[in-house]
C-alpha cells in the first residue's frame, strides 16, 4: 500500500518493472531445532539504504550472515545481482560487510587493514596505495594511518571498519549495527556522513539496527523484524504513519492503543466502540474487516491535542485528568488519565517560552484527535 | 582496600623461603672455591670452567638441546592442530573424550607416562620394526607427546579469546581460508605458539623420569647425566650446571609470560 505519489525513479519498489538488486526468497535458518530466521522474503533495489530493524536476538545478524555467506540457508534462496548465491563462498561474493564487533585485524595498522581486501584482488601496488589513501581521507583518519586498532578510540575503530568494507566498492555493503558503539551526538553526525558516502559511491546498503531513530534517519525503506520474521516493509513514513500491526506501532515511536470492536464499517471510514473511551472512535479510512470484529486503534501522541476547553472541531474528544507532565524542552508530554482509567500520552509542542496554556497536574482536560490521526492495526 | 594481614605476609614469606632458599643456596655454592659442598671457601668460577671441560656433560647438554628443540617444535604443531579441532569444529560426539585425552599428560604421573611409552615403543618395534631400538628418537616422541598437552592448553586459551569475526572479515574481503590462516590467525595466535614452544622446550630440558624410561644406550640427556653423577656424591660442578639450567629455564618462563601478555594486549 502506498500513500505517496509513486515516482518510479526514487521509489523503485513501486515500479513493477524494476528488478531488485538483492532478492531474498522465503529464507529460513534453523540452528538445531531453534528457528532464528523464519521464511523471510525481501527485495532491495540498487542504491537503497535498506534497514533491518528489530530488537536484540530477532535474527538480524543471522540474516546478514546468510547474505555474506557465513551461514548456509536452511531453506530458501538468495539472489544478488541476478546470481543465485547458493554454494558461493564468502570470499567469492561481491558483497562486503562491516561487522558488529568491527573485527579489525589487531596486528595490522589502519592502512594495512584497509588495504587488505584490495591486495587480495591482486591490484597493483600503486593503485592500492591511492585507493587506500583516498579512503583514509574520506573517513578522516589521515593522522592515524599508522596506528594499530588498539591505539584508537571506539569511534575511530568504527571508521576503520567502515573504510575497510567500502574500499573494494562492493555492489552490496552490509552493516551490522554500524553505529552502536558511538555516543548520541557522534552517531547522528556519522549517520549523515554514511548517507553522503552512500550517495557518492552509489553502493547499495543493507543496515542492521535496533535503534528505530537511526533506521528512520538513514533508510530509504525499513524491514521491521521480530522473532525471525519480517512483519512489515515500507518507507519510514509508511511504517510510522501506517503500522501494519500493533507490534510495529509500538516498536516505532510511542503510540496510544485503544482496543475495541467495529460497530460501523463503511468504504471510507469505520467506527469502533471501545470500553476504554466513553465515546465511539471514528477512523477516517476503510478496513478489510467486518462489523463486530475486534481491532486496535493506534494514535500517535503528537497527533493528539490537549486543551482545557472542549475541542469542537475534533472528530474524537475524550475527557480526562492530567496525571503526569514531562517537560522535554521542545515539547511537553502529558499522561492523561481517562474516565475509564486508561492513560494516554499526549505530546504538545512548546512554541513559546512560558507555554501558551499552562497545563499542570490534576487539571481537567479534553484530549482530541482528528479522524485521519488514528489507524486501525491488527492485533 | 586494606592490604593483606600480617599473618598472611609472614606466611607468604615463609612459603617463598621454603621454595627459593634451596635454589639460592645452590646458586651461591656453585661459586664456591672449596670442593666440599657444605663449606664456603671463597668466590670462584672454577667449577664452571671445569664443567666446560667435561666431554660427557657437553655431549649430554647438546643431546638435551636437540631433543628439546625438535620435540617442542613437534609439540606446537600437534598442539595447534588439536586446539583447532577442539575449539573450532562444531560439537562432535567424542569431543569431551578427546579434550580429556589431550590434557591427560598434565595430570598423569610421569612414571606411568614413561612406562606406557616404553611398552608402546617395544611393542611397535616388534610389530612394525619402528622405532628400531631406543635413543634420541624415542625421547623426542615422548617429549613431543606431553609437550603437546601443555602447548594445547596455552593455544586453546588464546583461540577461545579470539573473535571469530576477525577471520570472517578476512574471508569477506576475498581471502581464501588457507590465506586467512597464515595472514590473520597465525599472527594473532603467534604469542601463544611462542610461549607454548618455550614451555615445551623447558619441560623437555627438565625431564628425567620419562627420558630415563624411553632412552637407550648412547642417548643420555643432561638430567640423566646429572642424576648419575649425583649418585656418586654431589660435586660442585653439578651446582654450576644446575645454576646454568635454572638461568635458561627462568629466562624461558619470563619470555613466555611476556609473550602471553603482549598477545593479550594486541588481541
Ligand atoms: N551459531 C548459532 N547457533 C545457535 N543459535 C544461534 C547462532 N547464532 C545465532 N543464534 C541465535 O539466533 C537468534 C538470533 O541471533 P542474531 O541474528 O544474532 O540476533 P540479532 O537480531 O540480535 O542480531 C538468537 O536467539 C541467537 O541466540
Ligand atoms: Mg546482532
Amino acid at each position: 500500500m502506498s500513500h505517496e505519489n509513486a515516482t518510479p525513479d526514487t521509489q523503485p519498489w513501486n515500479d513493477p518493472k524494476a528488478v531488485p538488486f538483492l532478492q531474498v526468497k522465503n529464507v529460513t535458518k534453523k540452528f538445531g531445532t531453534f528457528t532464528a530466521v523464519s521464511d523471510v522474503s525481501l527485495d532491495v533495489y540498487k542504491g537503497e539504504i535498506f534497514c533491518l530493524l528489530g530488537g536484540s536476538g530477532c535474527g538480524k545478524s543471522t540474516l546478514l550472515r546468510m547474505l555474506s555467506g557465513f551461514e548456509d540457508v536452511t531453506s530458501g534462496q538468495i539472489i544478488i545481482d541476478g546470481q543465485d548465491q547458493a554454494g558461493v563462498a564468502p570470499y567469492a561474493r561481491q558483497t562486503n560487510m562491516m561487522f558488529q564487533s568491527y573485527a579489525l585485524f589487531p596486528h595490522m595498522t589502519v592502512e594495512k587493514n584497509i588495504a587488505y581486501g584490495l591486495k587480495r584482488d591482486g591490484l597493483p601496488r600503486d593503485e592500492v596505495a591511492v585507493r587506500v589513501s583516498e579512503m583514509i581521507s574520506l573517513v578522516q583518519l589521515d593522522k592515524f594511518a599508522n596506528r594499530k586498532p588498539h591505539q584508537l578510540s571506539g569511534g575511530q575503530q568504527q571508521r576503520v571498519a567502515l573504510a575497510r568494507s567500502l574500499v573494494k566498492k562492493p555492489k552490496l555493503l552490509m552493516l551490522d549495527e554500524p553505529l552502536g558503539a558511538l555516543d548520541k551526538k557522534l552517531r547522528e553526525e556519522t549517520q549523515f556522513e554514511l548517507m553522503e558516502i552512500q550517495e557518492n559511491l552509489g553502493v547499495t546498503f543493507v543496515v542492521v539496527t535496533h535503534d528505530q531513530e537511526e533506521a528512520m534517519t538513514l533508510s530509504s525503506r525499513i524491514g521491521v523484524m521480530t522473532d525471525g520474521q519480517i512483519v512489515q516493509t515500507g518507507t519510514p513514513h509508511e511504517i510510522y504513519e501506517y503500522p501494519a500491526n500493533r507490534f510495529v506501532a509500538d516498536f516505532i515511536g510511542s503510540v496510544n492503543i485503544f482496543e475495541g470492536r467495529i460497530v460501523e464499517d463503511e468504504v471510507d471510514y469505520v467506527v469502533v466502540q471501545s470500553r476504554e473511551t466513553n465515546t465511539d472512535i471514528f477512523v477516517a479510512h476503510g478496513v478489510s474487516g467486518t462489523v463486530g470484529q475486534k481491532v486496535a486503534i493506534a494514535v500517535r501522541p503528537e497527533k493528539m491535542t490537549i486543551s482545557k476547553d472542549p475541542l469542537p472541531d475534533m472528530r474524537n474528544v475524550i475527557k480526562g485528568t492530567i496525571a503526569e507532565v514531562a517537560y522535554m524542552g521542545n515539547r511537553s508530554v502529558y499522561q492523561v488519565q481517562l474516565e475509564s482509567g486508561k492513560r494516554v500520552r499526549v505530546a504538545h509542542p512548546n512554541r513559546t517560552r512560558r507555554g501558551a496554556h499552562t497545563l499542570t497536574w490534576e487539571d481537567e482536560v479534553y484530549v482530541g484527535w482528528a479522524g485521519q490521526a488514528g489507524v486501525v492495526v491488527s492485533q | 582496600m586494606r592490604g593483606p594481614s600480617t599473618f598472611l605476609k609472614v606466611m607468604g614469606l615463609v612459603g617463598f623461603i621454603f621454595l627459593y632458599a634451596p635454589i639460592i643456596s645452590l646458586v651461591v655454592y656453585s661459586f664456591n672455591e672449596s670442593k666440599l659442598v657444605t663449606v664456603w671457601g671463597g668466590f670462584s668460577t672454577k667449577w664452571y670452567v671445569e664443567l666446560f671441560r667435561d666431554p660427557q656433560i657437553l655431549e649430554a647438554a647438546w643431546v638435551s638441546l636437540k631433543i628439546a628443540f625438535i620435540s617442542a617444535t613437534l609439540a606446537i604443531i600437534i598442539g595447534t592442530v588439536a586446539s583447532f579441532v577442539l575449539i573450532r569444529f562444531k560439537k562432535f560426539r567424542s569431543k569431551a573424550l578427546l579434550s580429556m585425552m589431550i590434557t591427560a599428560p598434565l595430570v598423569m604421573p610421569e612414571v606411568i607416562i614413561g612406562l606406557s611409552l616404553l611398552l608402546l615403543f617395544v611393542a611397535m618395534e616388534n610389530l612394525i620394526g619402528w622405532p628400531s631400538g631406543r635413543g634420541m628418537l624415542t625421547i623426542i616422541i615422548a617429549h613431543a607427546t606431553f609437550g603437546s598437552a601443555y602447548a594445547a592448553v596455552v593455544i586453546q586459551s588464546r583461540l577461545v579469546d579470539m573473535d571469530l569475526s576477525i577471520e570472517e572479515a578476512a574471508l569477506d574481503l576475498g581471502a581464501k581460508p588457507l590465506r586467512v590462516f597464515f595472514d590473520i590467525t597465525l599472527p594473532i595466535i603467534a604469542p601463544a605458539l611462542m610461549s607454548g614452544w618455550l614451555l615445551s622446550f623447558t619441560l623437555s630440558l627438565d625431564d628425567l623420569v620419562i627420558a630415563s624410561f624411553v632412552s637407550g644406550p648412547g642417548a643420555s640427556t643432561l638430567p640423566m647425566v646429572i642424576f648419575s653423577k649425583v649418585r656418586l656424591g654431589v660435586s660442585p660442578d653439578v651446582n654450576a650446571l644446575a645454576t646454568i639450567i635454572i638461568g635458561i629455564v627462568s629466562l624461558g618462563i619470563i619470555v613466555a609470560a611476556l609473550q602471553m601478555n603482549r598477545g593479550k594486549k594486541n588481541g
Side-chain angles (χ1 to χ4, degrees), chain B residues 161-181:
Chain B
D161 285 346
M162 188 179 163
D163 181 4
L164 264 183
S165 56
I166 295 176
E167 288 175 4
E168 286 174 346
L171 277 178
D172 188 61
L173 291 166
K176 299 217 170 81
L178 199 64
R179 183 101 224 180
V180 175
F181 180 78

Side-chain angles (χ1 to χ4, degrees), chain A residues 135-309:
Chain A
M135 201 40 85
I136 287 182
S137 319
L138 184 73
V139 295
Q140 298 163 19
L141 283 170
D142 309 73
K143 273 185 273 174
F144 306 99
N146 290 316
R147 291 220 191 154
K148 296 247 180 97
H150 69 94
Q151 298 166 313
L152 300 175
S153 72
Q156 290 160 345
Q157 290 184 11
Q158 176 259 328
R159 280 154 192 272
V160 180
L162 180 63
R164 190 180 64 178
S165 57
L166 272 171
V167 73
K168 291 185 79 173
K169 304 207 173 97
K171 293 178 183 171
L172 182 63
L173 181 64
M174 283 166 284
L175 304 103
D176 195 351
E177 313 249 356
L179 312 179
L182 306 185
D183 55 56
K184 194 168 160 62
K185 193 149 186 299
L186 197 55
R187 191 160 66 217
E188 278 169 9
E189 278 171 27
T190 316
Q191 279 167 8
F192 288 109
E193 275 172 34
L194 258 188
M195 290 161 80
E196 210 164 285
I197 290 172
Q198 192 268 348
E199 254 167 56
N200 290 340
L201 300 183
V203 179
T204 307
F205 278 20
V206 175
V207 183
V208 154
T209 179
H210 64 264
D211 178 345
Q212 48 111 352
E213 261 178 62
E214 185 168 300
M216 301 293 271
T217 316
L218 275 179
S219 47
S220 57
R221 282 188 307 149
I222 298 174
V224 184
M225 277 187 88
T226 179
D227 287 337
Q229 285 172 313
I230 292 199
V231 284
Q232 188 177 8
T233 307
T235 62
H237 179 256
E238 281 168 0
I239 300 255
Y240 189 79
E241 299 292 344
Y242 307 97
N245 59 37
R246 202 168 159 168
F247 172 81
V248 177
D250 239 351
F251 192 78
I252 315 276
S254 110
V255 74
N256 297 301
I257 303 270
F258 299 99
E259 284 171 10
R261 219 174 267 282
I262 297 179
V263 287
E264 243 182 274
D265 180 21
E266 297 296 327
V267 187
D268 54 351
Y269 73 91
V270 278
V271 177
V272 173
Q273 188 181 49
S274 169
R275 243 182 270 149
E276 294 165 334
T277 58
N278 295 342
T279 55
D280 291 349
I281 302 170
F282 176 86
V283 182
H285 71 80
V287 293
S288 54
T290 51
V291 171
Q293 191 188 338
K294 276 176 96 169
V295 290
I297 291 167
V299 190
R300 300 273 179 205
E302 74 276 8
K303 294 204 163 57
M304 289 180 159
T305 308
I306 186 166
S307 167
K308 278 184 184 166
D309 312 313

Side-chain angles (χ1 to χ4, degrees), chain A residues 60-61 100 176-177:
Chain A
K60 308 178 298 287
S61 294
Q100 193 166 4
D176 195 351
E177 313 249 356

